[in-house]
Amino acid sequence: MKPTLDSRQLHAFAALARRNSFTLAAKDLFLTQSAVSHAIKALEEDLNCRLVDRIGKRVLLTQAGEQFLRHTEKILREMEVARGGLETLSKWGHGRLRVGASTTACQHILPTALREFRQSFPKCVIKIETGDHSRQLELLRAGHVDLALILEPAAGMQDEFTFVPLFHDELRFFVAAQHPWAKLGRAPREEIGNEALILYNKTSFTFRLITDYFREEKIVLSNFIELGSMEAIKELVKIGLGVGVLAPWIAKEEIESGAFVSLPLGARKLRRRWSVAYLKGRRLALAEETFVGLCETVAESLGLKNPRAVA
């Protein structure tokens, strides 16, 4: 395998081709004439080809030299572009932020967090990938996103990912104000199995948490509707088509207006923990650390408690 071209030799060759003089090329490069001469000789030996002819004090390119000059100028331009790109990344506010999040997080958390983020990093390129829990983990593994705002699994993935806890919430029943359970103030255990439950996407981590919960409670869910949108779930609850299972922060407006009544799932609470995940061993850039902090701030403004703060 042949060695790669020496960038110092390329710079010397380009300067010599431009000035047609070893003396002037050396002056441009702040080198001695002998240093430029040595660089050209080494380059010619490396290429096994004569690049210049010396005619008196003048230097002219050979045919091979003219052809090689076109490649040299292209290589040096690409090197300059590469260096400029890295210098841009090192400047405040530049770089990129690639985040994965569920549709719920995109609607309730990301807008405020990203608005504040943009003020600090106005030239940062932002990319958002939506999807449920399993898709976000796949995106992280593949390197398509750097951070993912997801529900943290109970165990088993701590060796692969780092999870920065943001907040925890509780899943509860939500019924329209006119629903019999609203008047009763609770969900009768014997009625839950036959009630029309409106649940989030069957392939989601949240759906699995809910079904596991009721399986442990020995309650068989025989009648449920699955939807891919929390907003759609709320709309069906409003018109009385069933009972939704949601987190209170997602239905905050409906609770405050009296449109919804929130009821516990049972004697045992079903809690979830939201985190920002990234690949284990990866060091976060300043922009990414800032984004995580802004997500924590948004969660606090929604009245959600950070597990680290209450531990």
Side-chain angles (χ1 to χ4, degrees), residues 147-208:
L147 303 173
L149 180 51
I150 61 173
L151 292 169
E152 182 178 338
M157 293 187 179
Q158 275 66 23
D159 291 338
E160 189 176 2
F161 302 101
T162 295
F163 295 94
V164 181
L166 288 181
F167 62 90
H168 56 206
D169 61 12
E170 177 190 351
L171 291 174
R172 294 170 64 89
F173 287 130
F174 281 86
V175 296
Q178 65 272 19
H179 192 282
W181 289 3
K183 299 175 183 178
L184 190 62
R186 62 183 179 87
R189 179 184 173 86
E190 63 277 8
E191 296 180 12
I192 294 175
N194 295 321
E195 180 64 45
L197 298 185
I198 309 173
L199 308 178
Y200 187 62
N201 200 332
K202 196 173 184 178
T203 62
S204 69
F205 186 56
T206 294
F207 184 93
R208 188 163 80 246

Side-chain angles (χ1 to χ4, degrees), residues 5-6 9-14 16-17 20 22 36-54 59-72:
L5 295 170
D6 189 315
Q9 294 173 2
L10 295 181
H11 277 292
F13 175 66
L16 183 60
N20 299 115
F22 281 96
V36 175
S37 179
H38 177 76
I40 298 302
K41 181 179 179 182
L43 181 60
E44 289 179 325
E45 290 177 353
D46 184 23
L47 296 172
N48 193 27
C49 179
R50 196 175 80 256
L51 299 175
V52 299
D53 285 326
R54 297 158 179 83
V59 177
L60 299 177
L61 297 181
T62 64
Q63 183 177 351
E66 291 176 357
Q67 179 177 320
F68 187 67
L69 178 62
R70 291 194 292 271
H71 295 290
T72 297

Side-chain angles (χ1 to χ4, degrees), residues 19-295:
R19 301 289 265 169
N20 299 115
S21 164
F22 281 96
T23 302
L24 295 177
K27 185 177 180 181
D28 288 349
L29 297 173
F30 300 99
L31 296 173
T32 63
Q33 182 175 332
S34 61
V36 175
S37 179
H38 177 76
I40 298 302
K41 181 179 179 182
L43 181 60
E44 289 179 325
E45 290 177 353
D46 184 23
L47 296 172
N48 193 27
C49 179
R50 196 175 80 256
L51 299 175
V52 299
D53 285 326
R54 297 158 179 83
I55 304 174
K57 293 184 178 181
R58 295 189 64 208
V59 177
L60 299 177
L61 297 181
T62 64
Q63 183 177 351
E66 291 176 357
Q67 179 177 320
F68 187 67
L69 178 62
R70 291 194 292 271
H71 295 290
T72 297
E73 291 174 337
K74 183 178 180 181
I75 291 170
L76 294 178
R77 281 197 302 270
E78 288 296 324
M79 290 173 63
E80 196 62 32
V81 170
R83 184 186 298 275
L86 293 175
E87 289 176 349
T88 297
L89 282 176
S90 66
K91 294 178 181 177
W92 179 269
H94 291 73
R96 71 181 184 189
L97 178 69
R98 302 186 303 172
V99 178
S102 67
T103 53
T104 302
C106 285
Q107 180 173 357
H108 295 276
I109 297 175
L110 287 192
T112 302
L114 291 177
R115 183 173 64 247
E116 297 296 325
F117 178 85
R118 179 62 78 188
Q119 293 180 3
S120 298
F121 297 87
K123 296 182 180 180
C124 186
V125 177
I126 299 173
K127 178 183 178 182
I128 306 297
E129 291 279 359
T130 60
D132 292 327
H133 178 86
S134 58
R135 170 167 165 73
Q136 296 305 331
L137 295 179
E138 290 174 3
L139 291 171
L140 282 173
R141 289 190 186 98
H144 294 154
V145 298
D146 302 309
L147 303 173
L149 180 51
I150 61 173
L151 292 169
E152 182 178 338
M157 293 187 179
Q158 275 66 23
D159 291 338
E160 189 176 2
F161 302 101
T162 295
F163 295 94
V164 181
L166 288 181
F167 62 90
H168 56 206
D169 61 12
E170 177 190 351
L171 291 174
R172 294 170 64 89
F173 287 130
F174 281 86
V175 296
Q178 65 272 19
H179 192 282
W181 289 3
K183 299 175 183 178
L184 190 62
R186 62 183 179 87
R189 179 184 173 86
E190 63 277 8
E191 296 180 12
I192 294 175
N194 295 321
E195 180 64 45
L197 298 185
I198 309 173
L199 308 178
Y200 187 62
N201 200 332
K202 196 173 184 178
T203 62
S204 69
F205 186 56
T206 294
F207 184 93
R208 188 163 80 246
L209 288 175
I210 294 169
T211 52
D212 287 349
Y213 174 90
F214 286 113
R215 186 180 302 112
E216 292 172 8
E217 292 293 318
K218 307 262 190 307
I219 297 175
V220 178
L221 303 181
S222 58
N223 183 15
F224 63 84
I225 303 170
E226 57 156 328
L227 295 172
S229 164
M230 291 294 181
E231 295 305 307
I233 291 174
K234 291 195 292 184
E235 290 304 313
L236 293 192
V237 172
K238 287 178 183 178
I239 62 176
L241 285 186
V243 175
V245 179
L246 303 165
W249 63 277
I250 296 173
K252 185 176 180 180
E253 292 183 7
E254 289 80 3
I255 295 172
E256 292 177 348
S257 68
F260 284 176
V261 174
S262 172
L263 305 169
L265 299 184
R268 182 169 57 93
K269 293 182 178 181
L270 176 55
R271 292 192 176 97
R272 305 179 299 178
R273 185 155 81 168
W274 290 78
S275 300
V276 174
Y278 57 92
L279 286 175
K280 196 84 169 182
R282 185 174 172 275
R283 183 177 179 181
L284 296 187
L286 175 62
E288 294 167 338
E289 290 182 347
T290 302
F291 173 77
V292 173
L294 290 172
C295 287

